[in-house]
Amino acid sequence: MIRFIVICIVVVGYLILSIPLLLAEWVVGKVNPRARDLSSLRIIQAVFRLILKITGATVTVIGHEHVPQDTPVLYIGNHRSYFDILLTYVRCPDLTGYVAKAEMAKIPLLSNWMRLLHCLFLDRKDIKKGLKTILTGIDKMKEGISICIFPEGTRNRGESELDLLPFHEGSFKLATKSGCPIVPIALNNTASIFEKQSPRIRKAHVVIEYCPPIYPDRLDKETKKHLGQYCQRIIRETLEKNQKLV
C-alpha cells in the first residue's frame, strides 16, 4: 500500500509542479517544435522510470533491436495493466503518441502533457469521431511520429493473459494507410504489478518482447484483410512462449 501512496504523491506532485515546465515547453515549441517534442518525451520517460522503480518491478526485455530506427512504426500490444503504458513508453526511441480513451482528455494537466506527446483521444462510442482520430493518427505517422495502440480496445481483465480480446481491425489502418511497419509487443505478467491485488502494488517480474516488424504491403491479400487476427496470433504465441520466463 505504501508504494501505491508514494506513486500517487509523485504523479499528483509532478503534474502540479510541472506547470512552469508546460509553459517553458510552449515557448520552446514556438521556436523549435522538434526540440520541444524531444524534451517532453525525455521528461516523461524520466518520470515513468521513477514510477517503475518505485513499483520494484523487474523487467526482461527481448527483441528491442527489432524496432526500426529509420521510420515511424505502429506499436500494438496486449493490454492488461495501466503500467503497460509506462513499461513501453520508456523504451520508445523517438516521438511516439499513444491512443487513449476520450475521457482522459478531460483531466487537467495530464491531458496537456498527453497532447504535447502527440497522444490521440479515441471516442469508442462515436464512430465518426473515432474515424477522425484514426485519420489524425495516420497524418502523424506520415509526419514521422510513431503511434502505439492497444487493439483490444480496453484492458483485458480475463483470468488468463492468453485469452486475448478481439483485435479491432480499424486500428491497423494506421499502418496500412501510412505505409509504416507494425511492431507487435507481447507483455507478460504486467497485471501482477497492480491489477491482481489492487490497490496494493507489489514487486513483479515482467517480460516484454518486441516481435519482428510486419510490413503490411508485403503480406498476401488474405492476411492483409485479417491483419488484426494475424497480429493477435503472433502476440498470443509470444505470450505463451514467454510464460516460462515469468
Side-chain angles (χ1 to χ4, degrees):
M1 194 66 178
I2 293 176
R3 287 192 180 96
F4 177 76
I5 294 171
V6 172
I7 288 173
C8 288
I9 292 171
V10 169
V11 171
V12 175
Y14 172 76
L15 289 176
I16 294 172
L17 295 175
S18 71
I19 293 174
L21 267 180
L22 281 171
L23 294 173
E25 293 290 64
W26 179 80
V27 172
V28 172
K30 291 294 182 179
V31 179
N32 189 333
R34 170 71 178 174
R36 175 205 60 200
D37 289 348
L38 284 174
S39 174
S40 297
L41 171 68
R42 302 310 177 202
I43 289 169
I44 298 303
Q45 284 180 326
V47 174
F48 282 1
R49 287 191 187 97
L50 172 60
I51 293 172
L52 290 171
K53 187 173 183 178
I54 294 170
T55 69
T58 57
V59 185
T60 297
V61 181
I62 303 169
H64 194 261
E65 67 276 5
H66 289 145
V67 179
Q69 301 296 309
D70 58 349
T71 180
V73 304
L74 175 66
Y75 296 101
I76 58 127
N78 58 304
H79 190 27
R80 291 179 62 82
S81 173
Y82 292 116
F83 285 93
D84 295 339
I85 298 163
L86 283 70
L87 288 161
T88 52
Y89 194 75
V90 297
R91 291 172 175 83
C92 293
D94 207 336
L95 304 181
T96 304
Y98 277 56
V99 178
K101 57 185 180 181
E103 291 79 1
M104 297 194 74
K106 300 175 183 177
I107 303 175
L109 297 178
L110 177 61
S111 60
N112 295 89
W113 277 107
M114 291 177 73
R115 289 187 175 92
L116 270 181
L117 298 168
H118 298 282
C119 291
L120 302 170
F121 300 99
L122 181 65
D123 190 332
R124 288 171 281 186
K125 299 177 183 178
D126 189 317
I127 295 176
K128 189 174 180 180
K129 288 182 180 179
L131 177 59
K132 186 177 179 181
T133 300
I134 295 297
L135 292 174
T136 300
I138 292 168
D139 288 340
K140 285 185 177 293
M141 294 188 74
K142 288 180 177 178
E143 293 168 5
I145 300 166
S146 295
I147 296 293
C148 180
I149 189 169
F150 298 106
E152 290 174 283
T154 186
R155 280 187 304 114
N156 185 345
R157 297 171 174 82
E159 285 295 319
S160 171
E161 62 187 3
L162 298 181
D163 294 332
L164 302 175
L165 300 174
F167 279 21
H168 295 288
E169 294 288 344
S171 305
F172 296 87
K173 292 187 183 298
L174 287 160
T176 57
K177 298 298 184 181
S178 66
C180 294
I182 301 166
V183 176
I185 309 174
L187 299 114
N188 283 83
N189 203 40
T190 57
S192 292
I193 298 174
F194 175 65
E195 282 74 13
K196 284 186 177 180
Q197 65 284 327
S198 170
R200 291 182 295 114
I201 289 175
R202 71 175 180 86
K203 294 180 180 180
H205 179 216
V206 173
V207 178
I208 304 173
E209 180 160 352
Y210 291 79
C211 303
I214 299 166
Y215 295 85
D217 57 349
R218 301 178 188 176
L219 299 174
D220 61 73
K221 186 177 180 181
E222 191 61 25
T223 303
K224 190 174 180 179
K225 184 178 178 181
H226 302 287
L227 196 49
Q229 293 178 27
Y230 177 70
C231 292
Q232 184 193 57
R233 185 169 66 252
I234 290 172
I235 288 178
R236 182 186 291 112
E237 290 172 354
T238 307
L239 289 170
E240 187 172 13
K241 171 179 71 72
N242 290 337
Q243 279 189 327
K244 64 180 181 293
L245 300 177
V246 174

